[in-house]
Amino acid sequence: MSSPSNKTRRTIILTALATAVHASALRSAGAEEDPPGSDLRPQKADVLVFAEGDHEGEVIKPDDLKPGGPPVRAWPKDPKTSVVRKASRLNEVVIVKLDPAELDDDTRPRSADGIVAYSAICSHAGCPITAWMKAAQGDKEVLKCMCHNSEFDPRQGAQVVFGPAPRRLAALPLVIADGSLTIAGPFIGKIGAQQGG
Amino acid sequence: MTMKQWLLPGLLASTCLFSIACSAGPIENYSPVTSDRLKNPEPGNWMLYRRTYDGQGFSPLKEINTSNVKDMRPVWTFSTGVVEGHEAPPIVNNGIMFITTPMGQVIALNAKTGDEYWRYKRQLPDDLFQLHPTNRGVGLWQDKLYLATTDDHVVALDAKTGKVLWDTKVQDYRKGQYLTLMPLVVDGKVIVGGSGGELGVRGYVVAFDADTGKELWRTFTIPGPGEPGHETWTGDDWKSGGGSAWMTGNYDPETKTIYWGVGNAAPWPGDSHPGDNLYTTSVLALDPDNGKIKTHFQYHPNDSWDWDEVDAPMLVDLQRDGRTFKSLIHPGRNAIFWVLERKPDKINYVAGWPFVHTDVWKGVEAETGKPIVDPAHKPVMGKRVEFCPSLWGGKDWPSAAYSQNTKLVYVPANENFCGGFTGEKVPLVAGQLWLGTKPEDIGLKVRPGATHFGELQAWDPATGKKVWSHNFPKSQLFGSVTVTAGDLVLVGGTNDRMFRAFHAKTGELLWEQKTNSGIMGMPIAYEVDGTEYIAVQSGWGVDAQRIQDALATQNNVGIENNVPQGGVVWVFAVKK
Ligand code: FES
């Protein structure tokens, strides 16, 4: 997703939708077709691959990311078996490259070369978080869920800065190993939506 | 341990099995719901989405009226514990109230005291994403309740205990299928229509056996090869053409005809799906016995604006131009106020006029009722097109009401909103968004010089005259309207959290009460032990919130974005 190109246009952009909202890369494949391990949560030493676009399935290298965003959608991949863990949409992550100096003290140790990774599943009603837009309050670009306009600051552990989301996105610690973005440990925090009632 | 001590925990446990959170239930003396009761509901009950099958949203109660409504006060409230848009009318059957909330929760309450009998909580899948996390109420039949869920199931509950009696999967939520409407029950059939038009689904209406949950028929709103209307589609467009049917239909028991509203075409830009695209943005006349389409009326062909026409038309015996006829009345999302004539096998155009500003239509063809489009304001692929009204239309899904006293139609309209987007080719992936534009690229614009946004309108369908209107200078109006024989027009829908009563004849604001959140829910009137109550759910979210976010980010409007969320049932009465 590209960010709005100029301020005038931004002011008229509807930060909302009528009957529509952004939906995720849902995989409709039945569980029986999925190779073993593809529905496991991201594991330590997994690499990350592009979830969409011309390079879909290719391993992500730090230089593939543009500093300052936009975020890239990614799946974890077991480097030993080459299984991409995309059988559950709860495994999808967004990664964004930021200035390390902007990251807070909790976020920096989880980042690699300024790159941070979070669950792509919104903590509000489970939509995918795809947009990279100027915050409703403040001037920085933030991760935005177009479903109901929740915003998360990736510099501060993806804490909620706007909208109905009740809590931050789950974070995925990263390191760089052999030139690739590699997962350093399991998700920190709860993945996915709240259950109502 | 004595025998009694052994027995007691066992008994409690078995009661708790009936619903996930157990309370004071079960309900004693429940009144079974029959076809006769649904066709002729007692004045004090509200057992259908709009109380009666004709969809008028009219209550014959008049104990609370224009002279005493100023003394109306809250008598009890009940917090649902859920955020997001609470859009369901409380459903009342002889002193028992059933409410539903987002996330698929049903709560049974004593309608007089607000005491809880039982609560059902749907266990939604972890990987579900809810495009519209809401629910519009339970259908009633005999001693059962029917709930349609966002993970695309229809569930039957025991009305007395909340116990699940059957649970039928309708389609696969992972493919963008979901349900938010209140099921329509007709003669032992539970009828629902699917959501998901923005995800490239093919819309449908489906009926289940009320006792067993077995599917009886399914009618696709987009005709396949060999079916009448298929020729209005090009190539394979019909397979993913939208036309979801996500609001409850109305019913004419005399002719045994259901009138069901059908939504927008997918993806949005019209040149990406050439043709008239039946039966998108239409009303279907369906036979409840077999789902057969008897006839239809298309409000506008080749929809390109996301203008769902899912709110079913009201069935009104109308006097107009010197004759009385059976009409369908539908203030459309496409900004046209429609008056149609319903015959058993045909729907005729009678009249249509804009009820808010629109630059899309140049008029309506008198013979056919087909609106004449200005191509400059019809979205296409590859360029930005602006149009009025906005994507939310002149009136979105929140329902209008018709008063049998005043013979007027009360419309929750939005004026002075325009919008636009750039058509763009997006590959179709099952379960993925498929709008034909980037969600970030959708615009809402306030018309220059706008003095207000929300507008509660009273129209005379016999003359096409606006009798009165009440303007909201700082808010959209996004809530259903109910009218009573006490000549009260009841509506929430504004961002100041108010619930209001207007004089049905004059439009005078007679009473208002601030609530916990904003009101998207449908007000109702009911009676228990000779006392009239007015009830509504307050709980802001979904599209009312989306419009609010859009308004608050417009530089020139000066509207704060401070509507809190959280659902509460409010019940009012006049102190005797
Ligand atoms: S699902 Fe993300 S804001 Fe609602």
Side-chain angles (χ1 to χ4, degrees):
Chain A
M1 297 291 160
S2 59
S3 58
S5 55
N6 65 61
K7 195 159 165 55
T8 319
R9 179 151 162 257
R10 209 161 52 231
T11 57
I12 60 161
I13 280 193
L14 172 60
T15 54
L17 292 173
T19 58
V21 282
H22 206 297
S24 88
L26 267 190
R27 303 298 147 173
S28 53
E32 63 280 3
E33 299 160 27
D34 296 323
S38 61
D39 59 348
L40 278 185
R41 291 288 163 267
Q43 305 285 305
K44 187 172 175 178
D46 279 358
V47 293
L48 285 161
V49 299
F50 288 100
E52 60 183 5
D54 294 345
H55 299 285
E56 185 177 340
E58 290 176 18
V59 172
I60 303 174
K61 304 235 171 352
D63 288 348
D64 293 336
L65 302 177
K66 217 175 115 227
V72 165
R73 296 169 73 164
W75 294 110
K77 175 176 160 173
D78 184 335
K80 291 197 231 53
T81 62
S82 293
V83 167
V84 178
R85 304 191 198 280
K86 61 181 185 185
S88 167
R89 64 183 295 264
L90 300 178
N91 287 348
E92 197 181 358
V93 294
V94 287
I95 50 180
V96 53
K97 190 176 204 166
L98 298 164
D99 177 354
E102 285 189 351
L103 307 182
D104 73 12
D105 291 347
D106 288 334
T107 308
R108 204 175 304 112
R110 298 174 194 157
S111 68
D113 199 14
I115 301 169
V116 288
Y118 295 102
S119 165
I121 308 304
C122 182
S123 60
H124 174 235
C127 288
I129 287 147
T130 53
W132 182 242
M133 293 177 75
K134 289 276 190 240
Q137 281 124 26
D139 202 31
K140 288 220 158 93
E141 271 157 327
V142 290
L143 293 167
K144 175 149 191 156
C145 176
M146 297 306 297
C147 277
H148 318 96
N149 296 330
S150 287
E151 295 176 355
F152 306 86
D153 187 348
R155 302 160 198 86
Q156 300 184 66
Q159 73 174 30
V160 182
V161 290
F162 184 77
R167 60 181 150 69
R168 63 181 70 239
L169 303 171
L172 195 60
L174 299 177
V175 289
I176 294 171
D178 298 333
S180 295
L181 274 185
T182 304
I183 293 167
F187 274 124
I188 299 165
K190 187 177 169 341
I191 320 159
Q194 59 183 344
Q195 194 44 267
Chain B
M1 198 179 269
T2 65
M3 184 74 153
K4 206 166 159 192
Q5 282 171 312
W6 273 108
L7 274 176
L8 207 53
L11 276 176
L12 281 177
S14 66
T15 308
C16 292
L17 274 180
F18 293 160
S19 62
I20 287 149
C22 64
S23 303
I27 294 164
E28 316 269 344
N29 303 322
Y30 185 70
S31 308
V33 174
T34 60
S35 283
D36 283 347
R37 291 191 64 215
L38 290 176
K39 280 177 200 155
N40 288 302
E42 306 83 6
N45 283 328
W46 196 288
M47 299 186 290
L48 291 161
Y49 187 55
R50 299 296 283 142
R51 199 186 89 83
T52 42
Y53 274 133
D54 53 28
Q56 293 179 1
F58 174 76
S59 166
L61 299 180
K62 52 185 171 197
E63 184 193 325
I64 305 176
N65 54 48
T66 51
S67 55
N68 63 9
V69 69
K70 63 182 187 310
D71 298 322
M72 192 160 85
R73 300 283 181 271
V75 290
W76 61 262
T77 57
F78 183 93
S79 187
T80 69
V82 182
V83 295
E84 264 302 337
H86 285 57
E87 298 181 349
I91 292 296
V92 177
N93 176 16
N94 287 344
I96 313 293
M97 176 184 288
F98 302 104
I99 58 160
T100 66
T101 73
M103 321 298 166
Q105 184 179 223
V106 185
I107 308 167
L109 299 166
N110 180 320
K112 194 170 164 177
T113 62
D115 292 336
E116 179 179 324
Y117 289 115
W118 55 256
R119 186 187 294 237
Y120 167 80
K121 284 186 186 178
R122 178 96 186 143
Q123 300 300 290
L124 294 167
D126 285 344
D127 64 349
L128 175 70
F129 69 87
Q130 301 188 69
L131 305 186
H132 295 90
T134 194
N135 185 280
R136 295 189 179 83
V138 280
L140 273 50
W141 178 249
Q142 300 294 359
D143 50 7
K144 298 185 184 67
L145 309 177
Y146 304 94
L147 175 73
T149 69
T150 45
D151 60 335
D152 219 52
H153 285 234
V154 174
V155 182
L157 303 175
D158 183 322
K160 289 185 273 213
T161 62
K163 181 186 170 188
V164 175
L165 301 173
W166 53 258
D167 180 331
T168 299
K169 179 180 168 183
V170 182
Q171 291 191 74
D172 187 350
Y173 72 85
R174 290 171 300 175
K175 301 208 170 123
Q177 303 280 355
Y178 62 108
L179 299 164
T180 59
L181 78 179
M182 174 172 159
L184 174 71
V185 181
V186 172
D187 293 332
K189 294 184 186 67
V190 180
I191 307 171
V192 302
S195 302
E198 60 282 11
L199 296 148
V201 302
R202 180 184 176 204
Y204 66 92
V205 180
V206 60
F208 301 98
D209 182 284
D211 289 328
T212 64
K214 187 173 161 277
E215 184 171 325
L216 300 174
W217 53 257
R218 187 179 298 232
T219 298
F220 286 96
T221 58
I222 314 256
E227 292 176 314
H230 182 68
E231 69 286 354
T232 64
W233 290 88
T234 304
D236 280 346
D237 291 351
W238 62 277
K239 289 181 179 165
S240 50
S244 37
W246 47 272
M247 290 279 292
T248 311
N250 293 326
Y251 177 51
D252 182 349
E254 245 176 66
T255 59
K256 288 195 86 169
T257 309
I258 297 173
Y259 293 92
W260 210 287
V262 182
N264 59 287
W268 292 347
D271 58 349
S272 64
H273 44 82
D276 278 2
N277 308 143
L278 290 174
Y279 298 97
T280 61
T281 58
S282 300
V283 55
L284 291 180
L286 296 168
D287 183 332
D289 286 340
N290 53 25
K292 205 175 150 292
I293 298 173
K294 296 182 180 185
T295 185
H296 75 279
F297 179 84
Q298 188 172 40
Y299 298 109
H300 59 270
N302 192 238
D303 175 61
S304 309
W305 303 266
D306 184 32
W307 282 340
D308 259 313
E309 298 294 355
V310 284
D311 188 26
M314 294 183 282
L315 280 54
V316 174
D317 289 341
L318 185 64
Q319 263 194 317
R320 190 185 155 97
D321 301 330
R323 67 184 185 114
T324 303
F325 61 98
K326 296 199 171 300
S327 78
L328 294 175
I329 294 178
H330 175 68
R333 187 150 159 180
N334 68 8
I336 298 172
F337 190 114
W338 297 94
V339 177
L340 308 171
E341 178 173 13
R342 69 183 200 275
K343 296 200 158 159
D345 55 355
K346 186 130 184 31
I347 299 170
N348 290 322
Y349 169 72
V350 177
W353 61 88
F355 63 96
V356 296
H357 169 78
T358 173
D359 57 15
V360 169
W361 311 121
K362 293 176 170 175
V364 180
E365 282 176 14
E367 283 301 302
T368 60
K370 212 175 181 178
I372 303 157
V373 67
D374 180 345
H377 299 291
K378 181 170 178 173
V380 290
M381 302 295 278
K383 77 170 191 195
R384 184 163 188 91
V385 174
E386 307 282 340
F387 53 88
C388 311
S390 77
L391 271 84
W392 288 283
K395 178 192 91 58
D396 205 291
W397 66 265
S399 297
Y402 173 78
S403 165
Q404 292 166 16
N405 274 13
T406 64
K407 315 280 189 223
L408 299 180
V409 173
Y410 302 95
V411 183
N414 280 301
E415 182 58 289
N416 296 318
F417 286 154
C418 302
F421 60 86
T422 307
E424 190 178 292
K425 198 165 167 57
V426 179
L428 172 60
V429 180
Q432 279 205 38
L433 181 74
W434 201 52
L435 302 179
T437 187
K438 280 200 184 80
E440 301 93 312
D441 198 28
I442 301 164
L444 177 86
K445 272 185 180 170
V446 168
R447 280 177 77 207
T451 55
H452 67 282
F453 308 115
E455 193 173 317
L456 178 64
Q457 305 174 336
W459 286 91
D460 184 345
T463 60
K465 293 248 154 51
K466 198 198 270 185
V467 176
W468 57 259
S469 63
H470 183 98
N471 297 342
F472 297 96
K474 291 275 178 192
S475 178
Q476 68 278 46
L477 182 60
F478 208 95
S480 292
V481 180
T482 291
V483 62
T484 73
D487 280 340
L488 299 176
V489 180
L490 303 161
V491 69
T494 51
N495 59 14
D496 55 7
R497 303 192 270 127
M498 287 293 188
F499 184 41
R500 296 187 169 91
F502 296 87
H503 197 305
K505 289 184 181 139
T506 65
E508 186 190 349
L509 175 62
L510 298 174
W511 173 91
E512 60 185 349
Q513 161 86 43
K514 207 177 260 297
T515 67
N516 56 298
S517 180
I519 294 175
M520 306 180 69
M522 188 180 292
I524 67 153
Y526 67 95
E527 190 180 74
V528 185
D529 295 340
T531 297
E532 179 181 344
Y533 299 91
I534 304 287
V536 72
Q537 293 207 71
S538 178
W540 196 247
V542 214
D543 286 292
Q545 181 64 53
R546 287 178 187 147
I547 299 172
Q548 180 66 22
D549 291 343
L551 266 182
T553 50
Q554 305 249 331
N555 290 340
N556 49 350
V557 177
I559 287 179
E560 302 250 319
N561 201 353
N562 53 4
V563 190
Q565 291 204 354
V568 171
V569 185
W570 289 75
V571 176
F572 304 90
V574 168
K575 233 182 159 172
K576 286 189 187 170

